[in-house]
Amino acid sequence: MCGIVGYVGPRDCSDVLVSALTKLEYRGYDSAGIAVFENGKIEVAKSKGRLTDLVAKMEREGKPVGHAGIGHTRWATHGEPSDINSHPHSGRRVTIVHNGIIENYKDIKKFLIENDRTEFLSDTDTEVVAQLLDFYYDGNPVRCIRKVLHEIRGSFALGIVFADRPETVYAVRCESPLIVGQGHGEAFIASDVPAIIKYTKNYFLLEYGEIAVLKNGLASFCDLHGRMVEKELKTADFDEDSAEKGGYPHFMLKEIHEQPTAVKTTITPRIEGGLPNLTECGITPEALREFNNIFIVACGTAMHAGMVGKYVIEKLARVSVTVDIASEFRYRDPLIQKNDLVIIISQSGETADSKAVLNLVKGTGAKTLAIVNVKGSSIAREADMVIYTHAGPEIAVASTKAYMVQLSVIYLLAFEMAYAKGTIDEEECQKLTLELVRVPEVIQQTIDRIENVCRYVSTKLITADSLLYIGRGLDYALSMEGSLKLKEISYIHSESYAAGELKHGTISLITEGMPVIAVATQNSLFEKTLSNIKEVKARGAMAIVICDLKSEIDLDSANYIIRIPKISEMLMPMVATVPMQLLAYYTSVNKGNDVDKPRNLAKSVTVE
Ligand code: F6R
């Protein structure tokens, strides 16, 4: 969603803002803008389109030159993408950038109009906040921000400059993430650490309701009541290189190739004596024994990781697992009981619907466990227990390595829970854990073996209007992710279907040449899936099969076969994910799409 940046320091502010916004492009946006103090006056430049459009406009019309300012990439919510609706927005003496949604903006607008404030130019909720700040501004910026915070509702973060406070940037956070970077004689604000990593690795995490003041290259903080706050300076555990493409044409391809390392880094510290050990994450065998039911709640790809979790946890630990989409779960009045465990999976740790689930669980007596990639994110901080995945920053909008490490953590949890509950013995648990330890190496072999095959097969997909992904059992859970990956970046309509369900309606969609990608890695279900593959091929489908090296299938039954290394059936999802990712990636590349920034999508969905 929208990205916020701000800068105070000796560098050319416009350049810093544009460079930092470039690093937030992955969040998704449709317009961009900056506001910079030039000779004591706020100068604004903004434009619909990409950052390159903004830069071109500034080259034509002149770029604001100064040393303090704010910047923004906008993902339209209130009002279409346009120059006028782009941020920054201004009142008479106040200019702001905003991430999130102001829920009561209509009431505020009515109040302002009733008080003779009628100069609204845009359709945005943001401009209403700029006008409200201006309405209350009495020469004391922090007091004014605090007053406005009491009147606006929603989830948001703001970067603010006041015309009579040159060279100073103010920021406030309510729900939407915001960090404050501290360099030598310079300070920054940003929606995410990668935006400023080029300048500094040191940052403060702004908490709910905290206000930051950036002045003379230093950041200071106060709370909602105006009291000064001392904050802990954190250091990012990655550097500029990890936030760059490192020679790959796209972040997505780089992140696919980073998977072996990401899985290794995630699982290694959680294995002791050949057995999973999650005590460092607050998870003990005693606690795992107590849970009656498990809910896994998440959105999109993270929810698909949960689908694999359902199969694996139920099979091994014999505990009932319900997987739900967070935006459904939060409104369906779910039956959560005292001894239940609610697992929230989220790469960003900031997804609005997933975050809302934590509030829902409070007071039920159930425990919450977050599986999160971004350190210090809201979901990680609010859950009772947290298992961090160590994928490093994921920049491509289409999630790959984050999904893979989510799977790896789910396996560890399932093994530990099954062992704790006595449904598997120590020997079996050690065997499964050892197999998981081998997975990074097998993922690497898979990438090496099939990247070119997938590149070739993807050329057969580019003219398709629609396709199906099918599978049974774990392969079905996996095909949901394969289908999402493909549709989000190739823009080809795609559905995932339980292979056995095709005959109950969907098979009527099959026409000559329609691609059907069958995931068939589960040996125990292979014969059954093979029958379904033959059924669709007999009706003209172009059958593409993902199976292991030993599966008995030939080119009479399928048009293309992508063979992957074999490990135990239960762990095959971590290997079979790779061809699905590569098929999506190369189809998107072959169609000339913007692979890392697919249209209409945002990396972190911080609004409902
Ligand atoms: C798709 C994708 C999304 C996210 C979803 C949840 O490739 O990345 O479907 O998985 O928006 O995001 P997080 O995991 O940040 O909660």
Side-chain angles (χ1 to χ4, degrees), residues 299-302 345-349 351 397-399 406 484-485 488 605:
C299 303
T301 290
I345 308 178
S346 176
Q347 187 285 126
S348 63
T351 303
V397 166
S399 181
Q406 285 160 0
L484 175 65
K485 211 80 316 170
E488 68 182 321
V605 184

Side-chain angles (χ1 to χ4, degrees), residues 95 175 205 363 406:
T95 295
E175 304 282 353
L205 207 57
Q406 285 160 0

Side-chain angles (χ1 to χ4, degrees), residues 30-31 48 74 76-86 123-124:
D30 40 52
S31 52
K48 178 186 161 186
R74 173 175 188 251
T77 54
H78 296 70
E80 58 171 14
S82 69
D83 284 2
I84 293 280
N85 287 335
S86 307
D123 306 318
T124 64

Side-chain angles (χ1 to χ4, degrees), residues 317-351:
R318 311 308 294 157
V319 188
S320 161
V321 181
T322 307
V323 182
D324 217 331
I325 298 166
S327 55
E328 288 296 313
F329 188 81
R330 64 184 288 196
Y331 294 118
R332 79 166 165 81
D333 198 8
L335 202 62
I336 309 169
Q337 289 167 332
K338 194 164 162 261
N339 281 340
D340 293 346
L341 172 66
V342 180
I343 303 176
I344 293 137
I345 308 178
S346 176
Q347 187 285 126
S348 63
E350 298 293 348
T351 303

Side-chain angles (χ1 to χ4, degrees), residues 258-267 389-392 401 405 408:
E258 282 172 347
Q259 293 181 119
T261 309
V263 172
K264 205 171 176 171
T265 317
T266 299
I267 62 171
T389 52
H390 299 308
K401 63 175 179 172
V405 290
S408 71

Side-chain angles (χ1 to χ4, degrees), residues 79-148:
E80 58 171 14
S82 69
D83 284 2
I84 293 280
N85 287 335
S86 307
H87 299 209
H89 288 284
S90 302
R92 292 170 198 164
R93 295 158 298 170
V94 186
T95 295
I96 70 170
V97 290
H98 161 220
N99 176 10
I101 284 187
I102 307 298
E103 286 166 3
N104 58 339
Y105 80 102
K106 281 191 182 151
D107 296 340
I108 295 170
K109 192 166 181 175
K110 189 163 162 268
F111 163 80
L112 286 166
I113 291 171
E114 282 165 4
N115 284 279
D116 299 327
R117 290 275 170 152
T118 51
E119 60 253 42
F120 295 99
L121 303 174
S122 75
D123 306 318
T124 64
D125 49 348
T126 307
E127 190 184 11
V128 174
V129 178
Q131 293 287 2
L132 188 66
L133 280 160
D134 194 73
F135 182 76
Y136 285 129
Y137 188 47
D138 60 358
N140 182 328
V142 170
R143 190 162 60 212
C144 167
I145 294 169
R146 285 172 47 219
K147 174 131 185 76
V148 166

Side-chain angles (χ1 to χ4, degrees), residues 448-497:
D448 296 343
R449 185 185 165 85
I450 58 147
E451 183 157 1
N452 280 335
V453 181
C454 291
R455 191 200 305 248
Y456 170 71
V457 174
S458 73
T459 63
K460 310 293 168 195
L461 300 179
I462 50 178
T463 53
D465 294 325
S466 181
L467 61 79
L468 289 180
Y469 249 104
I470 61 168
R472 285 172 181 260
L474 276 170
D475 287 333
Y476 171 47
L478 201 58
S479 71
M480 292 178 190
E481 176 55 10
S483 173
L484 175 65
K485 211 80 316 170
L486 196 102
K487 77 179 117 188
E488 68 182 321
I489 57 171
S490 76
Y491 312 148
I492 298 171
H493 171 253
S494 161
E495 293 299 329
S496 59
Y497 244 80

